[in-house]
Amino acid sequence: MTLARGGVTRVGNCRRSGVCHRALADEVALTILADMRAAGTEALERVGSSPEDAWVGYVQRLVELDLGALSATLAEFVTDEISESVRDAQAQTLAGVEELLDAVRSAGIVRPDLDALELVLAIGLITRPLPDAIRAVTPDLAPRLVSIVLAGMRPS
């Protein structure tokens, strides 16, 4: 189980029990944002020697974090009421994503008009939970969409 799935399960259990606390939602969000920053730091360390591998590995790590499931669940709890700590962590995380994007743009791997928020939202959309019936007939949808998105991020 990925950390995001574990956090989503905890938030879901909290919701079902009727005792949901903003602190739990913050904890889950802060953990995922920290994981995203760690993935970005690791990718930046690798980008000098192998920019393509660093970039693809980073995008795959974001997919593994299940950003879509996290955002879908947390939206119910933090809409318009994101805590300052989560807001700060989001800003730090997006700055790190932008730093990595700058590095892979310089390596000629990513088009210049992609920004950090668009990347994170795209991965979130790809990994949003789907009904079981849809997943059953499209079991490879997320990996296929990731490869399509990666190809579309390349400069023309």
Side-chain angles (χ1 to χ4, degrees), residues 11-28:
V11 171
N13 290 341
C14 180
R15 180 181 59 220
R16 282 189 292 279
S17 72
V19 182
C20 184
H21 301 286
R22 187 169 132 190
L24 176 59
D26 282 1
E27 177 188 337
V28 172

Side-chain angles (χ1 to χ4, degrees), residues 29-45:
L30 290 169
T31 301
I32 297 303
L33 291 166
D35 287 348
M36 289 175 66
R37 286 192 305 277
T41 299
E42 292 169 17
L44 271 172
E45 291 170 358

